[in-house]
Amino acid sequence: MDVALPSGKTLPAHDFFVLARARLTLDVPAALHDYTAQGTRRGDLDLDPVLWERAGVKATRPAAVLIPVVDRPEPTVLLTLRTELPSHPGQIAFPGGKIEADDATPASAAMREADEEIGLARTLIEPIGYLDLYLTFSGFRILPTVGRVSADYVLALNRSEVAEAFEVPLAFLMEPANHQRKTRDWKGIAREYYAMPFGERYIWGVTAGIVRNLYERIYQPA
């Protein structure tokens, strides 16, 4: 399956890794820890400062997630279905979490979390680069790490955090026609978000927003 580009041309999905290495870096943005630093940021409400003020929240907690792109003849993205918890009730998410003091880099934090949550061995992950910082209503400043994952991985899920892990074709996620724009009320605020239904899977919110940023960084570079 090929990926459609804005020009109307198609690109073999496997060339994703070539483009990702050319267009992403592992340079950590200063804004991850310095809230006044300039830099490209994404997030809930499209970073509208008025709506953020109305929401009464601030994103101050550095976090990292891994975008595990599995190196198959037709690449896929490995996602998780979270265990039903008050903080994330059954949502589809990337492996990830808070950056700890002893994490050498955000990429290290993302790989540590992937190991703890789903048993994905670090030796099978090649970190490629970071996407834009993503700010959330839940208070996190998420730095997504794009990583190439060997197809021969074996998982061991931490059932207290992850109910299931599954793959979605990269070509499906990188097809802009699959990026639905939705609106829902959040405490009286009209919150816009992306949704990418895939069969019985409903990918939306932060996860879909990060997928959209992946598409823009790789296939719609400035």
Side-chain angles (χ1 to χ4, degrees), residues 8-202:
K9 298 180 180 179
T10 59
L11 183 74
H14 207 273
D15 286 350
F16 167 86
F17 295 111
V18 176
L19 290 177
R21 292 187 184 99
R23 294 174 178 170
L24 302 178
T25 75
L26 287 169
D27 296 332
V28 180
L32 177 62
H33 298 284
D34 181 355
Y35 311 147
T36 65
Q38 298 298 311
T40 303
R41 307 176 201 180
R42 299 293 297 271
D44 297 343
L45 297 181
D46 293 331
L47 302 182
D48 185 317
V50 175
L51 293 180
W52 274 86
E53 184 174 348
R54 285 179 55 196
V57 295
K58 293 183 179 179
T60 59
R61 293 178 286 175
V65 299
L66 179 68
I67 304 177
V69 183
V70 184
D71 190 1
R72 301 191 185 282
E74 296 292 343
T76 61
V77 175
L78 181 62
L79 292 169
T80 70
L81 177 65
R82 310 296 295 191
T83 300
E84 293 279 349
L85 295 173
S87 58
H88 40 60
Q91 293 183 358
I92 291 173
F94 294 110
K98 179 183 176 183
I99 298 175
E100 303 291 352
D102 56 353
D103 289 319
T105 65
S108 296
M111 291 189 290
R112 172 183 56 76
E113 287 283 347
D115 185 18
E116 293 174 358
E117 292 180 6
I118 59 176
L120 182 61
R122 298 189 189 203
T123 54
L124 299 179
I125 305 170
E126 175 200 347
I128 294 176
Y130 298 121
L131 298 183
D132 299 328
L133 197 62
Y134 195 100
L135 312 187
T136 76
F137 266 13
S138 55
F140 288 102
R141 307 174 72 81
I142 300 174
L143 189 59
T145 302
V146 178
R148 174 189 160 275
V149 175
S150 297
D152 58 350
Y153 70 82
V154 177
L155 302 182
L157 305 187
N158 179 346
R159 296 293 180 179
S160 67
E161 296 189 56
V162 176
E164 187 180 352
F166 60 96
E167 297 181 25
V168 176
L170 175 68
F172 173 86
L173 295 174
M174 294 297 98
E175 170 53 64
N178 296 326
H179 301 175
Q180 301 177 9
R181 194 70 170 170
K182 302 285 188 177
T183 303
R184 68 162 48 183
D185 179 84
W186 187 86
K187 297 184 179 180
I189 297 172
R191 174 187 173 186
E192 292 192 357
Y193 60 94
Y194 282 103
M196 303 169 186
F198 178 70
E200 63 182 15
R201 313 288 189 180
Y202 193 69

